[in-house]
């Protein structure tokens, strides 16, 4: 019996780049495929503002989701209308009895 984690109430859209073939010159062709993933938790981590030549803000968020969500470092995540890049390699974490098994990743969005 697996218990639901009450902290995982968010639903995100994962956007994967999928290889769909080659063009007539032998170059790989990719397509973005979207899928909804529920039982996630998205929390803010940090935000840094740079004002050298222009105002630029880099915000990082922490995503925890189901262990089988299939997130990769090439995936993008849309949450509450904002499109985030996966920052680094997502990790899969196990736990005793599976209650806290999850995928964890840092998300990043740059504005400005």
């Amino acid at each position: 019996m697996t218990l639901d984690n009450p902290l995982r109430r968010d639903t995100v859209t994962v956007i994967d780049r999928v290889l769909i073939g080659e063009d007539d010159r032998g170059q790989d062709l990719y397509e973005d495929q979207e899928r909804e993933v529920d039982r996630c938790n998205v929390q803010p981590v940090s935000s840094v503002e740079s004002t050298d030549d222009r105002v630029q803000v880099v915000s990082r968020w922490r995503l925890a989701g189901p262990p089988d969500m299939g997130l990769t470092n090439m995936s993008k995540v849309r949450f509450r209308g904002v499109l985030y890049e996966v920052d680094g390699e997502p990790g899969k974490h196990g736990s005793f009895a599976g209650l806290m098994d999850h995928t964890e990743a840092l998300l990043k969005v740059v504005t400005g």
Side-chain angles (χ1 to χ4, degrees):
M1 176 172 129
T2 303
L3 299 174
D4 284 337
N5 186 328
L7 296 177
R8 295 192 199 152
R9 312 183 283 194
D10 299 322
T11 298
V12 301
T13 301
V14 175
I15 303 163
D16 298 307
R17 279 191 77 193
V18 178
L19 180 64
I20 60 169
E22 294 182 348
D23 65 12
D24 56 349
R25 297 173 60 175
Q27 302 296 318
D28 290 341
L29 291 175
Y30 292 90
E31 178 179 271
D32 287 342
Q33 295 182 355
E34 296 187 9
R35 57 193 169 85
E36 298 288 312
V37 179
D38 58 358
R39 297 183 301 120
C40 294
N41 181 273
V42 183
Q43 299 284 328
V45 173
S46 67
S47 187
V48 177
E49 182 177 355
S50 173
T51 58
D52 294 339
D53 293 332
R54 63 181 182 189
V55 175
Q56 184 179 57
V57 178
V58 178
S59 299
R60 287 192 166 72
W61 292 65
R62 179 186 158 277
L63 167 68
D68 60 350
M69 74 182 295
L71 197 66
T72 71
N73 61 348
M74 295 296 292
S75 300
K76 293 184 180 180
V77 175
R78 186 178 303 112
F79 178 65
R80 295 185 180 161
V82 178
L83 185 63
Y84 298 91
E85 298 175 21
V86 174
D87 192 14
E89 194 69 39
K92 289 186 180 180
H93 301 273
S95 64
F96 180 74
L99 179 61
M100 299 301 288
D101 289 2
H102 68 284
T103 297
E104 188 170 321
L106 287 177
L107 305 178
K108 174 176 77 172
V109 65
V110 179
T111 57

